[in-house]
Each structure stands twice: as C-alpha cells, then as structure tokens.
Amino acid sequence: MQLVILVMGGIGLAVLIFQPVPHLTRIFGFFVFVAFLLALTLALKEQTEERLLTSQQPTFSSLGKV
C-alpha cells in the first residue's frame, strides 16, 4: 500500500511540477496529502503488527458504539 502511495504520489507531483506554470501551493498541498497518507498507513501498520504480536482477538463490540 505504501509503495502504491509513493508511486502515485510521485507521478502526481511530477505532473504538478512540470506544468507550464507550476503552482507552489498546489504542489505543497499535494505533498502534504501524500505525506499524511504515508503516515497514516505507517501508523496502521504498526498498530496491526502490535495487535498480532500480543495475540489480541479483535473485538467488534466497539463498532456498534461508533
């Protein structure tokens, strides 16, 4: 998932950068969005690995409260 985000984010940044008139705010905003997605996937990956190491069973009771 992280590789897909990196590849697609790189392609998107390349498209934004190599326009005739590059808009720095759009480039920066897109870069921040890609960085946020990477951070989110890293946090979810760490949480999943931690849960698997502690052998916790998933509980679905909290899903009803949301």
Side-chain angles (χ1 to χ4, degrees):
M1 181 69 131
Q2 292 173 339
L3 289 176
V4 171
I5 293 171
L6 278 175
V7 170
M8 297 306 290
I11 292 171
L13 281 175
V15 167
L16 288 174
I17 290 172
F18 293 114
Q19 288 184 351
V21 180
H23 299 282
L24 294 178
T25 54
R26 290 182 187 171
I27 293 170
F28 182 71
F30 188 75
F31 180 75
V32 168
F33 179 69
V34 170
F36 172 73
L37 288 178
L38 286 173
L40 182 64
T41 57
L42 182 64
L44 291 174
K45 178 182 171 186
E46 288 177 359
Q47 183 183 21
T48 302
E49 288 175 350
E50 180 181 321
R51 188 180 71 226
L52 291 175
L53 287 177
T54 58
S55 301
Q56 294 179 353
Q57 297 297 326
T59 58
F60 299 104
S61 61
S62 61
L63 292 176
K65 296 177 185 175
V66 175

